[in-house]
Amino acid sequence: MKKVAIIGVGPTGIYTFHALVERGEPLEIQLYEQAKEAGVGMPYSSDNAAEHMLANIASIEIPPIYISYLTWLQNQSDDYLAQFDIERTSLHERQFLPRVILGDYYRDRFLAIVDKAHQTGFEIRVSESSEVTDLQATPDGIALWINHACAPVRVDFAVIATGHLWPEKDVPGRKFFPNPWTGLMEAKINACRVGILGTSLSAIDAAVAVVSQHGTFHTDTDNSVHFVRSPGSQNLKLTLMSRTGVLPEADFYCPLPYEPLNIATGQAVEHAIAQGQKGLLDRIFQLIVEQLQDAAPQWSRQVALQTLTADTFSGVYFADRITHDPFDWAKRNLMEVERNKQEQHTVAWRYTLLRLHEVIEPIVPHLDDADEKRFKRGLARVFIDNYAAIPSESIRRLLALHDAGLIEILALGPDYARTHEQEMTVIDHNNQRSEFDVFIDARGQKALKSKDIPFPTLRHQLLACGDEIPDIGEDYTLQAPESARNRIAFGGLPWLMHDRPFIQGLVVCAEIGAAMANALTQRTVGRRRKLWGSGEID
């Protein structure tokens, strides 16, 4: 019986485990989770998320494990639903609910997989509060060291499904948070000047986490939200900031699963790639133009799409938001989105862009350096903004904070500097200086390289091969060093972002999990790795 180790039992690890069990070949599977409970996942754990933080994915999109998320919710007791002020009759497949509930779903489904595995001849060992502190590829298999133990555990195949990796150090006194996930939930934030770098859902969640210590949100009968500040919190002031200062759109209605595109198809993209590196981005943009003209002819004429290029398209896409007050724009967008949901009306150009990002992503490893930079400055920002639309309730809360005089948006411009001075974070921008007593970097996960791998021996092995980033095959197995080939599946999302800049979400976790499970028997794989530039998209 082959011995398999799964390192990290969040969504990617769970879907890998599920796929291995569904294959049917009995295995000895050892699952290692550094948190207290396996099967929850960092974004959905009560240690990292509060009840008011919403998941931006609904049941209709979540890959089910034996039963759908909605069915699981319908099976819960009235007391469980009441904890989150959820009416049973209000449950539906497009509903956005607190992240911690999704964590409960994955924990329950993980235990269901364990039960099925036991019943079908698998040997399963779940090790919680067990951090894999080192990993080595050897000619005889994979050696794992758990919680700095002296003796390793040896397996035939290892799956690295460690998920997000965040820096853990901050400025003493909890004045600076390098991300919203390490320490913010338990930190006491005084009523002071709070700066939050980012304007996406993570940034809004960070803002809500802070203000929840200083007041309460109330939902009115018309579904509007207002915020009541606690006495003694008059000095609390929050600032969200990004280069452009634009807010994301509210999540919009569209058919799910995605309807296929008829022009910018996977085959058309493959043909464009096969024509060579030179001019690839412009050929792909022409495909995008033709697809948008076909799907949304009126909008295409309105924005003069035929006159745009891969470099100018993003400026037209964001123009309305940049030229209007962000909160006024958010109100208008929210009204439009909610009306479209009630009428089940799809805005064609939005839906087309949403489907395009997955089809277009395979070009990234094939772009030359100049086109790679152009892509990141333009189209990548459009696609990321489009698929990162956020729950309407998050927009309502943001607007409530603005109405209460608690929050503002700051456009930093293309060049800004962040420094720490004494117990403050200072942002210099547009010939101005902004000072913050507490600062939270909420821009999201950054792409990581081999030097960032948390397993010292494997890190040394990869760097010794000259791999600045891990050399990963199409089935997610490491291609180097030789001793790791076909023995280590590498599903750590931060290391996959180099040639998959749009990699995110539970659907992707399920796809990666299935591919890594198949890697146990698949032996010939294609190479797919190219170094994506180190600049950030925020």
Side-chain angles (χ1 to χ4, degrees), residues 180-230:
W181 313 113
T182 51
L184 182 61
M185 291 304 103
E186 67 265 22
K188 170 62 179 173
I189 307 296
N190 294 324
C192 61
R193 301 168 298 178
V194 179
I196 301 175
L197 186 56
T199 53
S200 66
L201 181 59
S202 294
I204 295 171
D205 278 347
V208 171
V210 171
V211 301
S212 293
Q213 300 185 26
H214 298 277
T216 54
F217 289 97
H218 299 271
T219 302
D220 301 322
T221 54
D222 62 355
N223 216 28
S224 62
V225 178
H226 67 276
F227 183 80
V228 178
R229 192 192 306 234
S230 300

Side-chain angles (χ1 to χ4, degrees), residues 49 113 153 166 391 400 411 422 479 524 529 534:
I113 303 169
V153 174
W166 307 102
Q422 298 176 344
Q479 301 300 291
T524 304
R529 180 60 65 192
S534 59

Side-chain angles (χ1 to χ4, degrees), residues 446-489:
K446 299 174 179 61
L448 300 179
K449 298 183 179 182
S450 295
K451 65 180 179 61
D452 304 306
I453 287 174
F455 314 114
T457 304
L458 180 62
R459 180 172 66 238
H460 175 75
Q461 288 181 298
L462 290 172
L463 293 173
C465 295
D467 291 337
E468 188 176 355
I469 60 173
D471 184 3
I472 299 173
E474 291 178 349
D475 65 351
Y476 298 95
T477 55
L478 284 178
Q479 301 300 291
E482 183 66 31
S483 56
R485 189 170 298 174
N486 297 322
R487 288 198 174 110
I488 298 177

Side-chain angles (χ1 to χ4, degrees), residues 297-525:
Q298 182 176 348
W299 180 83
S300 298
R301 289 191 295 270
Q302 180 183 329
V303 300
L305 182 60
Q306 190 63 47
T307 68
L308 302 180
T309 68
D311 305 295
T312 59
F313 181 76
S314 63
V316 172
Y317 174 85
F318 287 110
D320 190 39
R321 275 180 267 184
I322 290 174
T323 56
H324 289 87
D325 175 84
F327 297 101
D328 290 342
W329 181 89
K331 288 178 184 177
R332 287 193 292 112
N333 175 252
L334 180 63
M335 290 176 61
E336 177 199 352
V337 163
E338 289 302 291
R339 182 174 64 250
N340 290 340
K341 286 178 181 176
Q342 290 177 2
E343 299 173 357
Q344 295 189 0
H345 171 67
T346 300
V347 177
W349 63 267
R350 284 195 183 109
Y351 185 42
T352 302
L353 287 172
L354 181 63
R355 292 173 289 166
L356 277 168
H357 84 270
E358 292 182 355
V359 176
I360 298 303
E361 188 180 51
I363 73 168
V364 173
H366 303 279
L367 295 172
D368 62 29
D369 291 343
D371 276 356
E372 176 190 294
K373 291 175 183 176
R374 293 172 61 208
F375 182 73
K376 289 177 64 177
R377 286 195 303 264
L379 291 175
R381 293 180 185 274
V382 171
F383 289 133
I384 290 171
D385 176 81
N386 176 264
Y387 71 64
I390 69 175
S392 293
E393 186 67 11
S394 296
I395 296 292
R396 293 188 188 98
R397 290 170 179 170
L398 184 68
L399 293 173
L401 295 179
H402 178 252
D403 291 342
L406 275 166
I407 200 165
E408 63 181 2
I409 304 283
L410 186 61
L412 299 175
D415 298 307
Y416 67 91
R418 185 181 78 208
T419 56
H420 299 291
E421 296 183 10
Q422 298 176 344
E423 294 192 355
M424 291 190 308
T425 297
V426 177
I427 302 289
D428 291 302
H429 61 99
N430 301 322
N431 297 316
Q432 300 176 52
R433 173 185 170 95
S434 298
E435 299 175 349
F436 302 98
D437 305 300
V438 171
F439 197 84
I440 305 162
D441 188 339
R443 290 175 294 175
Q445 179 70 63
K446 299 174 179 61
L448 300 179
K449 298 183 179 182
S450 295
K451 65 180 179 61
D452 304 306
I453 287 174
F455 314 114
T457 304
L458 180 62
R459 180 172 66 238
H460 175 75
Q461 288 181 298
L462 290 172
L463 293 173
C465 295
D467 291 337
E468 188 176 355
I469 60 173
D471 184 3
I472 299 173
E474 291 178 349
D475 65 351
Y476 298 95
T477 55
L478 284 178
Q479 301 300 291
E482 183 66 31
S483 56
R485 189 170 298 174
N486 297 322
R487 288 198 174 110
I488 298 177
F490 201 105
L493 295 185
W495 289 272
L496 302 176
M497 295 170 66
H498 294 278
D499 64 353
R500 293 193 61 184
F502 309 139
I503 194 168
Q504 51 84 39
L506 297 173
V507 174
V508 167
C509 291
E511 292 171 353
I512 293 173
M516 292 195 295
N518 287 335
L520 259 180
T521 54
Q522 184 174 315
R523 287 291 178 262
T524 304
V525 298

Side-chain angles (χ1 to χ4, degrees), residues 112-133:
I113 303 169
V114 171
D115 287 343
K116 181 171 182 179
H118 283 310
Q119 294 167 13
T120 52
F122 286 73
E123 294 183 16
I124 305 297
R125 189 176 78 223
V126 180
S127 299
E128 298 172 320
S129 300
S130 297
E131 180 182 3
V132 176
T133 48

Side-chain angles (χ1 to χ4, degrees), residues 210-284:
V210 171
V211 301
S212 293
Q213 300 185 26
H214 298 277
T216 54
F217 289 97
H218 299 271
T219 302
D220 301 322
T221 54
D222 62 355
N223 216 28
S224 62
V225 178
H226 67 276
F227 183 80
V228 178
R229 192 192 306 234
S230 300
S233 294
Q234 288 75 18
N235 292 329
L236 181 65
K237 185 68 176 182
L238 283 75
T239 303
L240 301 186
M241 64 196 82
S242 66
R243 287 188 172 94
T244 59
V246 302
L247 288 170
E249 290 192 309
D251 187 79
F252 49 87
Y253 177 85
C254 65
L256 294 170
Y258 293 164
E259 297 173 350
L261 297 167
N262 63 331
I263 295 174
T265 62
Q267 185 177 5
V269 170
E270 288 176 6
H271 177 69
I273 292 171
Q275 291 178 266
Q277 197 175 52
K278 184 176 176 60
L280 174 58
L281 182 60
D282 295 316
R283 292 195 299 276
I284 289 297

